[in-house]
Amino acid sequence: MKKRVAILGSTGSIGKQTLEVIKQHPDKFEVEVLTALNSAEDLIEQARGFQPDAVIIGNKEKYDLVKESLANDPVKVYAGSEAIAQIVQGENIDIVLTAMVGFSGLTPTINAIKSGKTIALANKETMVVAGEIVTELAHKHKVSILPVDSEHSAIFQCLVGEFQNPVEKIYLTASGGPFRGKSLDHMMTVTREEALNHPNWSMGNKITIDSASMMNKGLEAIEAKWLFGLKPEQIDIIVHPQSIIHSIVQFRDGSMKAQMGLPDMRLPIQYALTFPERAESNFERFNFLDYPQLTFEKLNEKIFRNVTMAYQAMEKGGSLPCVMNAANEVAVEMFLNGTIGFLQMSDVIEEAMDKVEYISHPTLDDYIILDKASRDFAYRYIKNL
Ligand code: MN
């Protein structure tokens, strides 16, 4: 039986690599749904290549282009975010890989869980914003949430066969990004280009900036809390510049298991899609002699304040991670378009966390309202700088 896959965000970096993996295993997978926000040309090309049941273009203005281009293919074409939220419930889908950017992943992920689909989670913001609701729903509907994020895939792989054994703590590894070891003075002047130049991973713009600012690691700590049911004090971050060890689990007897390999997102993607099986791959193999030294460093939280703020959000919980995430999405957007400087991103987030309303037990509607409130606050705050 082939697994029937829906890929939300198929034209992004993770989406494209997911299709590469699927292409290598035509006996295992069938592509049923592809969605993209704006990249109509890529979506059309993917639809022609994979012949899914349906494609959805998020931006409704591009519907005509996609529809006309696929007029001779047996592919249904829809548009808009409502269509994305709806299509994941289809009976023709077994597994939904969520690779869209940011808060937009929340509603479709929740709908997919409610209709019993396995989730391959590549949209960490969903867990950051509403981890409590998402994990409760997954439990209620007996749905597996399989991590695609490389660190979380590493933890998950270390836990296979250990599910009865309590975890003492985990270490999320961080490459340190392009600004590892740089001074605060240096950070005040960094450009968009420098921030987008990640040493080890090639990724989309949003996550690349999050990696440079270490917000990505903060988001990942919160993601780990919900995925693995951990307390904040059980989640540690260690800088490991070579990105060979993808993360580590420490058990109560002190034993540590690490998952390692060359940095290649196709591996965690493939593992999430084929779990519990490990499928063959032609990915480049690790050679110890190419890496005579694997090194580890402490994260500098004085410079990377985002990590401290993310832990505060994780500890206080409620709506605070949602507000932090929304302010960060705005801050990254405004950094990328040149409106604010690199370090100002943390100011925006800190102010939003301080000023936007706090709710201790938010509903899904509360999250939607507070996400908007935090974005509005962040735009206003930046405008008045
Ligand atoms: Mn990651």
Side-chain angles (χ1 to χ4, degrees):
M1 274 283 279
K2 289 187 188 181
K3 283 187 190 170
R4 299 165 301 171
V5 186
I7 305 173
L8 310 185
S10 65
T11 59
S13 170
I14 294 287
K16 285 180 176 166
Q17 294 180 81
T18 303
L19 286 172
E20 273 181 49
V21 167
I22 288 177
K23 207 172 178 177
Q24 295 296 317
H25 299 283
D27 53 318
K28 292 192 190 325
F29 305 109
E30 191 94 58
V31 178
E32 288 291 325
V33 172
L34 298 173
T35 81
L37 181 59
N38 271 307
S39 305
E41 306 293 345
D42 282 355
L43 185 65
I44 292 160
E45 195 191 312
Q46 291 177 345
R48 286 188 178 136
F50 288 90
Q51 297 284 303
D53 178 58
V55 298
I56 304 178
I57 181 81
N59 181 348
K60 290 180 178 170
E61 286 174 18
K62 299 193 173 172
Y63 172 76
D64 288 343
L65 169 65
V66 179
K67 177 79 184 157
E68 280 158 29
S69 306
L70 295 174
N72 296 320
D73 295 89
V75 178
K76 296 169 200 143
V77 180
Y78 306 103
S81 52
E82 305 80 10
I84 297 174
Q86 217 169 51
I87 205 154
V88 294
Q89 304 174 51
E91 299 224 323
N92 58 330
I93 296 167
D94 300 312
I95 181 163
V96 177
L97 187 132
T98 62
M100 60 255 279
V101 178
F103 184 81
S104 63
L106 180 60
T107 307
T109 306
I110 283 185
N111 286 358
I113 293 172
K114 283 183 177 166
S115 16
K117 314 301 181 194
T118 299
I119 305 294
L121 185 81
N123 173 257
K124 69 191 79 184
E125 290 89 342
T126 294
M127 276 303 198
V128 170
V129 169
E132 190 160 13
I133 292 181
V134 170
T135 47
E136 266 171 25
L137 273 176
H139 189 74
K140 183 175 160 197
H141 294 274
K142 299 188 174 56
V143 156
S144 305
I145 301 181
L146 305 168
V148 170
D149 208 345
S150 61
E151 295 79 359
H152 304 73
S153 175
I155 303 285
F156 184 64
Q157 292 180 55
C158 293
L159 287 174
V160 169
E162 302 274 8
F163 288 110
Q164 304 304 316
N165 286 323
V167 169
E168 189 167 85
K169 69 186 292 186
I170 65 168
Y171 290 92
L172 298 173
T173 51
S175 72
F179 304 134
R180 180 175 65 89
K182 295 285 190 278
S183 69
L184 209 51
D185 281 349
H186 178 90
M187 302 291 288
M188 287 171 80
T189 62
V190 298
T191 63
R192 181 181 187 278
E193 282 59 43
E194 289 172 82
L196 282 174
N197 186 18
H198 195 277
N200 301 352
W201 296 97
S202 158
M203 308 174 285
N205 279 358
K206 158 72 168 52
I207 184 171
T208 303
I209 298 302
D210 282 346
S211 298
S213 73
M214 287 295 144
M215 180 50 94
N216 185 51
K217 218 42 65 177
L219 298 175
E220 286 179 351
I222 302 175
E223 183 188 10
K225 167 188 157 153
W226 293 114
L227 277 174
F228 306 114
L230 299 171
K231 297 191 182 79
E233 59 270 24
Q234 290 177 290
I235 305 168
D236 217 332
I237 294 169
I238 185 82
V239 176
H240 166 47
Q242 297 82 21
S243 295
I244 296 299
I245 293 182
H246 300 306
S247 279
I248 299 138
V249 179
Q250 180 177 311
F251 294 94
R252 62 178 166 183
D253 58 357
S255 178
M256 299 166 99
K257 282 168 86 175
Q259 187 265 338
M260 59 191 282
L262 292 171
D264 184 338
M265 281 310 295
R266 292 173 304 175
L267 203 146
I269 291 168
Q270 175 167 308
Y271 189 70
L273 291 178
T274 62
F275 176 81
E277 187 197 350
R278 285 188 188 273
E280 284 178 20
S281 91
N282 57 7
F283 310 149
E284 195 187 336
R285 267 41 176 179
F286 176 74
N287 179 352
F288 281 94
L289 302 184
D290 291 341
Y291 292 85
Q293 288 195 67
L294 297 181
T295 60
F296 304 92
E297 300 169 14
K298 191 170 153 38
L299 181 84
N300 186 339
E301 292 196 25
K302 284 209 177 77
I303 290 185
F304 297 107
R305 290 156 56 209
N306 286 351
V307 174
T308 313
M309 292 193 279
Y311 270 77
Q312 281 164 0
M314 172 160 53
E315 266 154 34
K316 191 162 177 194
S319 59
L320 204 53
C322 169
V323 166
M324 177 192 78
N325 175 69
N328 179 56
E329 288 190 28
V330 171
V332 170
E333 178 198 338
M334 300 304 263
F335 171 71
L336 282 171
N337 71 20
T339 309
I340 60 173
F342 191 82
L343 292 176
Q344 284 178 304
M345 289 194 288
S346 299
D347 298 338
V348 175
I349 298 159
E350 187 171 44
E351 282 297 313
M353 286 172 69
D354 193 39
K355 303 278 161 50
V356 178
E357 186 193 353
Y358 175 76
I359 300 179
S360 55
H361 293 286
T363 64
L364 192 54
D365 287 339
D366 291 332
Y367 284 126
I368 292 167
I369 290 164
L370 287 172
D371 172 80
K372 173 85 168 47
S374 183
R375 281 165 205 273
D376 290 347
F377 176 88
Y379 283 121
R380 259 199 325 273
Y381 175 79
I382 290 167
K383 213 174 159 192
N384 292 328
L385 278 175

